[in-house]
Amino acid sequence: IKNGMVTKIHTRIRTDPFTANYDLVGKELGRGKFAVVKKCIEKATGKQYAAKFLRKRRKGADCRMDILNEIAVLEAAKANPYVVALHEVYETHTEIILVLECAAGGEIFNQCVADNDEAFTEKDVIRLAKQILTGVAFLHRNNVVHLDLKPQNILLTSARPLGDIRIVDFGLSRRMDNITEVREILGTPEYVAPEILNYEPISTATDMWSIGVLIYVMLTGESPFLGDEKQQTFLNISQVNVDYSQDTFEGISSLAIDFIKSLLLKNPRKRATAEECLNHPWLNPLPHPHSHPHLHTRSAASLDEPETSQSESEPESPA
Ligand code: ADP
Ligand code: MG
């Protein structure tokens, strides 16, 4: 068993045939390295789900423990609405099938790379970032690190109108309690933190780096570290070579840039935590009990100055 894995699960693993209880419908919802995800309908209820088919043997190795770890993490996070819900688990000779809540809006990846009219606005990103951070703060409070946060693993309940986020793919997740070191480069090159490249200890801050990359991509449509070659990407990451130019951030607030800068820091100890991010002024345009009063220049100024129209703050409304 690898470092930080949990394999004690509470969900009953069913061995009766999946197809006795579900009809597969439509084409694939998506696929990753070792999994295919298909839409299905539960016969008994008519409800729609996403079935993730995981091969137990990968490259000749038995990976059942990895899958049990993925299930255990989903169980640990089931109280949080922004983590995809696990409905049932089936096992055959070759596969384990996770029956998951269906996130019908697909990957946020699609909107990240979309043209202007389909792309996220900053206001969208603020709302979605709060949800991602709420989910990740929950995981971190429960000593779980995701280790593969990227636009392909953040889904939407609906795309148009823009729904809510669901975090998926806990295949690389670990418990922080008994994790000491990583010996392999986990995750997708573009999104991995410098400490992973340097084989240094991973921590909840490792996820926070990936969230910095994620928010950068959601706002600009550009991947901050992506190079032509893998080696160039790794070099860009270890040098924290990031473009914060006006050109790239056209029409995006300086608070957003400040937010990203608090995450794309080489030293993991200096990075903002998920809780700190939730209190960042970028995500809290209105006076907020948990945020720092001096950062709200508009409300501070309005005490001794008449209201001016140059303020960019939103009108007061219940959050
Ligand atoms: P892998 O571990 O192979 O990357 P994922 O869990 O990330 O597997 O699933 C692969 C893809 O399938 C995702 O990127 C997404 O497009 C789709 N997918 C996964 N889970 C769901 C779900 N619950 N609802 C809808 N689509 C999903
Ligand atoms: Mg994935």
Side-chain angles (χ1 to χ4, degrees):
I1 295 176
K2 289 174 212 154
N3 249 325
M5 287 208 334
V6 220
T7 54
K8 255 231 297 275
I9 68 166
H10 301 283
T11 308
R12 181 168 67 103
I13 300 187
R14 299 185 62 147
T15 50
D16 53 325
F18 166 79
T19 48
N21 301 319
Y22 293 87
D23 286 316
L24 289 169
V25 287
K27 60 168 178 50
E28 260 173 51
L29 290 167
R31 63 165 64 220
K33 256 205 187 114
F34 302 106
V36 185
V37 179
K38 293 174 181 168
K39 193 192 273 191
C40 60
I41 309 263
E42 189 176 37
K43 291 177 182 176
T45 60
K47 278 169 97 179
Q48 192 171 290
Y49 290 96
K52 179 173 180 179
F53 296 80
L54 289 143
R55 291 206 311 273
K56 285 191 279 186
R57 285 193 82 76
R58 301 166 188 175
K59 298 178 182 166
D62 179 3
C63 291
R64 191 169 186 272
M65 290 302 178
D66 296 75
I67 303 169
L68 295 185
N69 175 67
E70 183 167 350
I71 296 168
V73 172
L74 287 168
E75 287 177 353
K78 72 163 185 264
N80 192 277
Y82 301 118
V83 172
V84 76
L86 177 66
H87 179 56
E88 279 193 318
V89 178
Y90 288 80
E91 182 166 13
T92 69
H93 281 299
T94 54
E95 289 178 317
I96 292 182
I97 307 165
L98 309 186
V99 184
L100 301 160
E101 163 191 11
C102 184
E107 304 170 9
I108 64 164
F109 178 80
N110 301 317
Q111 271 104 319
C112 289
V113 297
D115 289 330
N116 265 336
D117 52 328
E118 299 220 342
F120 295 129
T121 65
E122 183 170 342
K123 207 174 159 209
D124 293 333
V125 179
I126 289 173
R127 185 175 67 85
L128 299 180
K130 279 184 192 165
Q131 297 185 354
I132 296 167
L133 287 161
T134 303
V136 171
F138 181 91
L139 294 172
H140 290 181
R141 273 201 304 280
N142 288 281
N143 282 314
V144 172
V145 282
H146 186 285
L147 298 179
D148 202 13
L149 293 170
K150 58 179 176 181
Q152 292 85 349
N153 290 335
I154 310 285
L155 309 185
L156 292 164
T157 55
S158 83
R160 273 167 180 257
L162 193 58
D164 297 321
I165 70 106
R166 294 290 184 267
I167 303 169
V168 302
D169 196 355
F170 291 81
L172 296 181
S173 296
R174 294 291 182 269
R175 293 273 314 195
M176 283 308 300
D177 322 310
N178 44 14
I179 201 166
T180 48
E181 57 193 296
V182 267
R183 289 184 188 281
E184 48 181 337
I185 291 184
L186 304 164
T188 306
E190 286 167 75
Y191 294 87
V192 301
E195 60 269 24
I196 295 217
L197 301 182
N198 292 330
Y199 300 92
E200 284 162 8
I202 59 166
S203 67
T204 54
T206 309
D207 278 343
M208 299 316 296
W209 172 279
S210 304
I211 291 176
V213 181
L214 188 67
I215 302 296
Y216 188 109
V217 176
M218 290 172 80
L219 287 170
T220 67
E222 288 172 33
S223 187
F225 301 109
L226 184 62
D228 292 334
E229 313 265 349
K230 225 179 190 175
Q231 282 315 311
Q232 185 61 50
T233 302
F234 291 155
L235 194 64
N236 288 339
I237 294 169
S238 66
Q239 296 175 344
V240 197
N241 182 12
V242 190
D243 169 15
Y244 292 112
S245 69
Q246 283 285 319
D247 230 32
T248 302
F249 282 85
E250 201 191 317
I252 299 165
S253 71
S254 52
L255 278 176
I257 298 175
D258 183 82
F259 180 91
I260 295 169
K261 284 183 175 167
S262 75
L263 293 172
L264 298 184
L265 295 170
K266 181 143 185 173
N267 184 345
R269 297 164 159 277
K270 293 197 171 148
R271 277 174 224 152
T273 65
E275 297 286 355
E276 285 163 358
C277 284
L278 283 166
N279 287 323
H280 190 282
W282 181 51
L283 300 180
N284 297 279
L286 298 172
H288 188 279
H290 301 302
S291 58
H292 210 286
H294 85 257
L295 295 166
H296 296 288
T297 49
R298 180 177 181 266
S299 47
S302 65
L303 293 174
D304 44 57
E305 270 172 37
E307 289 267 36
T308 55
S309 57
Q310 54 165 286
S311 165
E312 288 200 85
S313 306
E314 301 210 357
E316 293 230 12
S317 64

